Amino acid sequence: MAQVLEFKLPDLGEGLTEAEIVRWMVEVGDVVAVDQPVVEVETAKAMVEVPCPYGGVVTARFGEEGAELPVGAPLLTVAVGEPAESAGPAGATGATGPAGPAGPAGSTDGAGAARSAGEQPARGSGAGGEGAGEAKGSGNVLVGYGTSEAPARRRRVRPQRTASAAPARAGRTNGRTNGRVRSAEPADGPVPVISPLVRRLARQNGLDLRELTGSGPDGLILRADVEYALRAAAARGGTTAAHEAAAAPHPAGQLRAPAPALVGGQPPAEVRTPLKGVRGAVADKLSRSRREIPDATCWVDADATELMRARAAMNAAGGPKISLVALLARICTAALARFPELNSTVDTEAGEIVRFGHVHLGFAAQTDRGLVVPVVRDAHARDAEELTAEFARLTEAARAGRLTPGELTGGTFTLNNYGVFGVDGSTPIINHPEAAMLGVGRIVPKPWVHEGELAARQVVQLSLTFDHRVCDGGTAGGFLRYVADCVEQPAVLLRTL
């Protein structure tokens, strides 16, 4: 007979203790293969697709989309092996959706369908007369979690629901393919959406993505497009207006529309956003940084004209293009080699300053999910081309919500290019538990005394926020001055290569 196995939310690594269900990828009654992704969850670090280590028929799901589950909580149950002749897939308490695919009343072929579709049961699981035998997980690893042998336990298989439940299921499966949710997707293909979070935002507000025209590349629907449509709806008093406003693309400069006007003389209702997920993790880290780190900031204006010319010459020579942030990262690693005190952390429990021998360079990236800091491993050992490629890869993964927890942790120093927001300067909060952060403002033409004469030069403001416990102002000033010298005269950098 069939063995019903319970799959729990695995340990996602990096000390994460909970995750939010973003999207279920299977329905109750679906046939799943070993290691098939079954649910997409969002942690404080990244978006993760969780694969199920068992193959069989899904008999129960635990938790609705948007619910938070602790690590170790049940995610779903799967019927593995051949079921008993007189029973159908189990409908365990807490399941969402029907108990299984509707067949003749009182009968089921759930596990048989798995075999007919070529799906293999979990390794080591019995079939037929060995259905009660030992079932094992796939053994694959998910972010530090190894699927292990399934517990030797059974659950009573409940009878299948009556055929009267079939029409309700048929009504709910409108817009699904093979029983899986295809929310906000037309029959002829998926809607181009940048991330599942955009889908969820539209779904929670009753907005049909098929009626939006995206402003991203190739019509990609961005979060800004959805927010623009929702603001239009709030201003006009209904979701119909949002659909009308979203039917045509809006100029990029109008993605962030002004606050909705008063409707009937009343201000718009207040909006409350839970501090959870990425936003909650950012809030916790920044609060801890302010509590624990006695930081100080110094800054300097630098003439970046020669750096911009050097980059233009490098890119004109052919080969892969070099990004400006890659050159700034190269300057950072050279400066940290001269001033290693800033490539460190404070171990408060041991009462020690820990200086690192490697540079894992974090960089601030603004995404639809909020501010994240991907980490370039061993940045000190990469040249400008390698740094450009790695920055591009991590930035794309960040915007798509595909960064793993390992790509978001372990940084030793952070480079923050806030000039992309059109601002000159900032006093950033250190990315705890690091000891320093270099900020780079926008590069703009300004009057500058060059070689004794007033000229228009490309000027940038550089700022360094540092933990005053790891060094004094002399060290911090020396680091920042060296960075500025390399920006003004890139040839200075050659002496350290």
Side-chain angles (χ1 to χ4, degrees):
M1 61 181 295
Q3 185 177 10
V4 179
L5 303 178
E6 184 179 80
F7 176 46
K8 299 179 179 180
L9 178 64
D11 179 3
L12 299 174
E14 301 294 342
L16 301 174
T17 59
E18 62 185 11
E20 177 183 345
I21 297 176
V22 174
R23 177 172 63 100
W24 280 106
M25 306 172 73
V26 295
E27 295 287 329
V28 173
D30 283 357
V31 176
V32 296
V34 173
D35 290 335
Q36 174 182 327
V38 293
V39 65
E40 189 173 41
V41 301
E42 180 185 12
T43 71
K45 300 293 184 182
M47 197 88 71
V48 179
E49 288 186 353
V50 180
C52 179
Y54 313 121
V57 179
V58 178
T59 60
R61 296 187 327 193
F62 300 91
E64 299 288 346
E65 293 180 356
E68 288 189 352
L69 296 179
V71 169
L75 267 180
L76 50 77
T77 55
V78 179
V80 178
E82 186 172 355
E85 296 181 358
S86 59
T93 302
T96 61
S107 68
T108 181
D109 59 352
R115 291 191 298 277
S116 64
E119 181 270 325
Q120 298 179 353
R123 293 174 177 83
S125 63
E130 298 175 358
E134 189 177 357
K136 296 183 179 180
S138 65
N140 288 341
V141 175
L142 169 68
V143 196
Y145 169 78
T147 57
S148 58
E149 180 178 334
R153 55 183 298 184
R154 302 190 194 188
R155 294 194 174 203
R156 181 172 58 87
V157 179
R158 297 184 179 180
Q160 183 179 344
R161 295 183 182 180
T162 61
S164 61
R169 178 180 175 85
R172 284 195 299 270
T173 56
N174 183 28
R176 293 176 181 167
T177 303
N178 295 330
R180 294 190 183 183
V181 176
R182 298 292 185 219
S183 60
E185 292 186 5
D188 58 351
V191 174
V193 177
I194 194 170
S195 73
L197 290 180
V198 175
R199 294 183 185 275
R200 184 175 64 176
L201 179 63
R203 183 170 60 250
Q204 289 176 342
N205 291 276
L207 185 63
D208 190 348
L209 290 174
R210 288 171 292 187
E211 300 185 16
L212 273 71
T213 300
S215 62
D218 299 323
L220 190 68
I221 298 176
L222 310 177
R223 180 174 181 177
D225 299 324
V226 176
E227 292 176 341
Y228 178 87
L230 294 177
R231 282 194 293 266
R236 300 185 188 182
T239 57
T240 300
H243 297 164
E244 294 174 355
H250 45 274
Q254 297 179 2
L255 288 180
R256 295 189 177 274
L262 298 182
V263 179
Q266 298 296 324
E270 66 179 20
V271 177
R272 291 177 175 263
T273 303
L275 274 177
K276 61 181 182 180
V278 172
R279 176 53 57 189
V282 170
D284 290 342
K285 175 165 284 193
L286 296 182
S287 297
R288 183 176 182 183
S289 179
R290 277 297 192 214
R291 288 194 305 268
E292 297 184 6
I293 299 179
D295 58 356
T297 301
C298 54
W299 57 89
V300 64
D301 289 340
D303 180 1
T305 306
E306 297 303 323
L307 179 66
M308 301 298 286
R309 288 176 179 172
R311 174 174 175 256
M314 295 169 68
N315 289 338
K321 301 298 183 182
I322 304 300
S323 68
L324 180 60
V325 70
L327 294 179
L328 292 171
R330 195 69 190 88
I331 293 173
C332 275
T333 58
L336 289 172
R338 288 193 165 212
F339 301 91
E341 296 91 340
L342 294 167
N343 190 46
S344 61
T345 187
V346 175
D347 186 342
T348 54
E349 294 184 0
E352 299 173 339
I353 297 174
V354 181
R355 185 180 301 176
F356 300 106
H358 55 267
V359 179
H360 293 338
L361 186 66
F363 66 98
Q366 190 71 42
T367 72
D368 285 344
R369 301 175 63 233
L371 180 67
V372 295
V373 184
V375 176
V376 177
R377 302 283 166 180
D378 297 317
H380 62 287
R382 300 175 186 257
D383 59 24
E385 289 185 6
E386 293 172 331
L387 288 170
T388 297
E390 187 66 358
F391 277 123
R393 183 189 72 82
L394 291 172
T395 299
E396 180 182 358
R399 291 173 177 168
R402 297 194 308 266
L403 288 173
T404 65
E407 292 171 327
L408 286 165
T409 55
T412 63
F413 186 91
T414 295
L415 173 63
N416 188 356
N417 180 21
Y418 44 74
V420 296
F421 302 120
V423 298
D424 296 329
S426 174
T427 55
I429 300 176
I430 295 174
N431 186 26
H432 186 279
E434 298 170 14
M437 176 184 294
L438 177 68
V440 181
R442 62 176 180 162
I443 301 177
V444 292
K446 288 184 179 181
W448 191 267
V449 177
H450 176 66
E451 296 181 350
E453 295 183 359
L454 187 64
R457 306 286 287 182
Q458 300 291 324
V459 179
V460 61
Q461 184 179 102
L462 306 170
S463 62
L464 177 71
T465 299
F466 64 99
D467 186 341
H468 224 313
R469 295 173 298 178
V470 303
C471 69
D472 297 324
T475 300
F479 173 93
L480 188 59
R481 186 64 257 171
Y482 178 81
V483 170
D485 289 344
C486 290
V487 168
E488 293 183 340
Q489 303 177 42
V492 173
L493 184 62
L494 297 177
R495 294 200 294 266
T496 63
L497 300 180

